[in-house]
Amino acid sequence: MLRHFGLLLCLPLFACDQSDTVTIGFVGSLTGSTADIGSQARNGTILAVEHWNEAGGINGKAIELVTKDDKNEPDIAQLSFNALVELGVAGIIGPTSSSNAEAIIPLANKAQMPIIGTTVTSDLFNDQDDYFFRPAASTRSGTEQLSDFLTAQFSIQHYAIITDLSNAAFTGSWKAQFGQWMREKGIEPNFEQDFVSGDNLALLDVSQQLALMDTDLIVLVTNARDSALLIKQIRSINTNVPIATSAWAGTDEFLRLIGRDGEGLIIPRYINDASDSERFRLLQVQYEERFQQRMGYAALLGYNASQLLLTAMTQKDKKQSIKEYLLSTKVFDGVLADFELNEFGDEVRNAFYFITEVRDGQFMTLEP
Amino acid sequence: MRRTLFLELLRQQFTVALIPIVLIGGVAYQILFPRLTEELRQNRQTLALSVGEQVEARLASSEDHLKLIALDIINNPNAASLANRLDAFVQVSDIFEAIYVTGMDGKIDHIGLPIADISTRRLFQDMDVSFTALSAEQQPLEPGRYYWSNVFISPISGQQSVALFTAIGTSHLIAEIDLRELPSLSQRLSRGEIMVLLLDDKATLIAHPDMDISQQQFSLGYASLFTENMASLRTGTFIWNSIEQFATVVPLAATRWQVVVSQPLTSFNATIQYLTVIWLLLASATFVITAFIAYRTAVRESKPITELQAMTEAVSQGNYDVPRIETHIDEFESVSNAFIAMASQIQSRERELNDLNTALEGRVAERTAELMSINEALTNSVLRLETTMEQLVQSEKLASLGSLVAGIAHELNTPIGNAKIAVTSQQDYIRDVRQDLEQGRLTKSLLDQFMEDIDSTADMALRNMNRASDLIRSFKQVAVDQTSSNLRTFNLATVINEVLVTLRPTLKRSPVHVETQVPANIDMHSLPGSVSQVLTNLINNAVHHGLSDNHKSLTINISADLKDDLVLLTVRDNGIGMPAENIKRAFDPFFTTKMGQGGSGLGLNIVHRMVRGMLKGNIELTSREGQGTTFVMTLPRDVTGQLSATQANVMMNHHG
C-alpha cells in the first residue's frame, strides 16, 4: 500500500486523471529531529508542482507528486527511493540531508534516475558524474565565505567546533572544508567534539565543556534544536563568546527555540528574507497563505529544485535525457537568484548563500 | 391515434401499473433520498462531535490535572523541592511529557521531566519557551484560566507537542503534552473508509490514522474548508490522496483545533446509490411483472373481441355457422349469443331478400320491355316530328314561293292587261276602219288616224309585253334561286330588288315602307336563293311582328356595306321590338308569339340555319321593346372560301 510509504499528493488545483499525468517523487525527512527542514522542502516542492500545474503542467499533462518520509534514516531513504522508481516517477526531489543523499545516489546512478537535492550541501558529492543535481552550492564555497566573514569580524586565534554524527556526510564534510579554510588563515581548532543528535546527555556534556572553554569562536554544525539547546547552555554561562552555526540551523524553529539567547549569532542561510526580488516576495506570500508558516531556506531550495526538474522535463528534446538537458543548459533562472550548474550538476555560484546575524529574534542578512 | 385493442389494453395496464412506480419514485427522490442524505450528514456530524468531545475531554482532563499541580504549587511554594515534585507529577501522568514553571522573562525556572531525562534537566533550565505562550495581546493571563498553545516541535522531546498553561501569580505553569497519542485516538475512531483527522488552527495535520503522516506537519491549508469559517461547524469536500472526500469539521473551542470526519465522497454517496439501485431493481421487477400480467390480460381480454371480429368477417362472407365464444365474462358471453342470434336473423332475412330479388328481376324485365316499346314509340314520334318539321320547312318555302307567284302574277297582270287593252283597242280600230271601208267612209284622214292609233297601241302592247317578259325572266330567276341552292356570282343590290319586287304585293297591302341603302357595286359569289330567302323571311317577320295597335306603320331599312371580304347586311325596322326573354329564343324552331295566327315559328330559325349553314356567316339580333329590331348579318363575299373544296365543286358543277 502506497500510504505506508508516503503520501500521494494530488492537489485540488488540478484534476487527477491518471492516464494523463506525469509523476515525480519527493523523498525527505518528514519526521524526526530534522523534520523542520524536510517538511519545508516538501512544502516548497508541493508549491512548485501546484504552480506548474496551474500553468498547464508538462506539455499539457498534469504533474502528480508522490512524497515519502525517510525518517532521517539512510536505509528507509533507500526503500523510499526504490518505491518511487518502481512507481515510474520521472525524477525525484530530495533527499533533505547529506547522509541520506549518500545512501541514495549510488541507487540513482544505477537506476539512471535524476535526483535533485534540496538542502544537500556536502562536498562528498562534488565533481562526480552522477545523477545527482542541486541548486544549493556545496559547503566548499559556503564555508570559505563564512570563514572569511568570521575572521574579518572577530579576532580569532582558536575556535571550537561541534558536529552531529547523525548527519556525518554533511557535518564531516563541512567541518573539513571549514577547517581547511581556517587553516589557510593560520587558525586551528582548540576543541573538537562529536555527538549524536537525540543523546541529550552527550549534548549536555558538550554544552558544559563549551560553556567553560576558553576559545575565540564556537562553531556548531548541528541541527536547529540541538544548536538552540547548546547555545542556551553556553549563554547561561558565557554571554560573550561569538557563536556561528552552519546553515543547517538557520530555521524559524531555531529562532523560536533560542528565544532571546540567539542575539548576535552568525548563521549562514540559503535564503535572504530581506530580498527585494518581486518573484521571491510573491512566493513568500503564496507560501505563507498555503502553509500558514513563513517560507524558510529549505522551502526555497525545495521550490528551486522542483523548478529545475520540471523545467528539464518540459524543455528537453525528446531524445534528450533530463541529465543531458541539465548539464547542457547550465544556467537557470531561480527564485531569489539565477544559478549555474557545472559539468557535474553542482551549483557553482553559491547563489543562495547569505550570511546573517540574529537580531531582535530575526535573521538579518549581512552578506552579500 | 388508432391502435389495436390488444395494444390499447396493454397501454392502459402499463399506465395504471406505472403510476405507483412513478409516484413512489418521486416520493423517494423528493423526500426520502434528501432525508437519507441529511441523516447521513447528521451521522457524520454526530461522529465528529463525539470525537471532538473525546478530544476535548482528554484535554479537559489535562486541565484538571494541571489544576491539581497548580494548587500544589500554590499551597507549597517551597522552590527547592519544586523540580522534584514536578518530576513526580510528570512520572505519574500519562499525559504530560514535561511540566515547567517560567518566570516573567519566559525562561524556565523549574522543570519536571520523565526519569530518563532527569539527568539532562540542566539543558532546559533557563530555556526561553516564551514562544509556547499565546500572543502578546492576550497577556497577562487570567489566573484560574487554562490556555492551549499552538502545535510545536518540543525542544525537550523533539516531538510534535502542544502546551497547556496557566498563570500562578507572575509565573506561568506550563505542561507539554506529546501529541503522539492523538494519532492512535484517530486510528481507533477511524473505521473503514471513515477517517478521523485532527488539524491545528493552521490546518496542519496533527492526527491521522497513519502515525507517520500525523507527524509530517502536513498542511491541509490548500482546502478552504479548513481555513475559512474556522469557528463554526461545517461540511464540505477536500482532496486527499487524489480522492475527493466529504468532510464534517467540528472546531474545538479551547485549542481552536479542528476535528475532521471524512469519507470518500463516492462512498458517502454509495448509500444513496445503493438505495437507488435497490429501488431501480424493485421498479424494474415490478415493471417486468406488470408487463407480463398486462400481456396476459391483454391477450385474454382481447381474445373474445378478436373472435367476434373473426365471426363478423365470417358472417360478412356469408358463413353464418358461427361458434360460441368461450369466455368467463358475462358481457362477452351475451354479446356472443346475441351475435349468433343476429347471424341467424341475417341468414333468414337474406333468404327473404333473395326471394324478393328474384321476383323483382321479373318485374324489372317486364318494365324494361315496356320501357323499350315506349322508347321505340318515342323514337318513331321523334322521326315523325323531324319529318313533319322538314315538311313544315318545305311548306314554308312553298308558301314563300306561293307569295312570290302571287306577287309575280299581280305584277304581270298590269302589263298583260295593258297589252290586252291595246290589242283589244286595235281590234276595235280595225273593225271601225273595216266598217268605214266597207261603208266607204274611209277617208284618208281617217286612215291616217287609224294608222296612228294602231301604231301607238301596238307600241303600247309591245311595251307591256316586254315588261311582262322582263317580269317573267326575273321571276324565273328568283324561282330558280329559291328552289335550288345554286352557287353563282350575283349583284347584291339586284337580288335585293328582285326580292322586294316579289314582296311588293304583300307590302302593298301593309302600311310598310321599305328603304334600301345598298351600294350597286357589291358582287357576291354565294347562294343568291338563300340570300333572297333570308331577306324574304326577315321582311315578312318585320311585317308580321313589327306592327301593333300602337305601331300602325313600319319602315324597314335594308342596308349593306362591304368590309374587306365580308358583306355587312343589315335589316332594321322601327317596329314594336322584342322583349329580352324573346330575343334569346327568337331563332329557336317553333318559337312564335303568333301561335294560331299563322306563324309557323320556323321563319327566323330558317334564317338562322341558312346564314350559319349555307352562307357561312353570322347573324346577330338586337332589339328593344318599342324601338324596333335590327338583324345584322356578316356574310363572306365569296362563300367558296368558306366551303370545303368538294362542297364548292359540287355546287359549281350543279350550276354549270
Side-chain angles (χ1 to χ4, degrees), chain A residues 8 71 225 232-233 260, chain B residues 105 122-123 127-128 155 212:
Chain A
L8 181 70
K71 301 184 195 295
R225 172 190 177 259
K232 277 183 169 299
Q233 292 303 312
R260 286 155 221 169
Chain B
D105 55 3
R122 273 210 57 154
L123 267 180
M127 189 166 72
D128 188 335
D212 283 351

Side-chain angles (χ1 to χ4, degrees), chain A residues 277-292:
Chain A
S277 153
E278 255 180 56
R279 214 172 141 206
F280 172 74
R281 293 225 165 276
L282 179 65
L283 189 65
Q284 263 188 323
V285 172
Q286 287 169 337
Y287 185 91
E288 212 160 320
E289 266 177 24
R290 175 69 177 76
F291 299 105
Q292 308 280 311

Side-chain angles (χ1 to χ4, degrees), chain A residues 313-330:
Chain A
M313 286 166 69
T314 310
Q315 301 285 332
K316 72 182 183 65
D317 295 340
K318 277 191 176 167
K319 292 176 196 163
Q320 247 179 343
S321 68
I322 289 171
K323 178 179 175 174
E324 280 164 354
Y325 175 83
L326 291 176
L327 293 184
S328 63
T329 306
K330 290 194 169 84

Side-chain angles (χ1 to χ4, degrees), chain B residues 578 583 620-624 628-632:
Chain B
M578 298 184 193
I583 294 173
E620 276 172 25
L621 162 57
T622 53
S623 181
R624 255 196 206 163
T629 303
T630 305
F631 293 91
V632 177

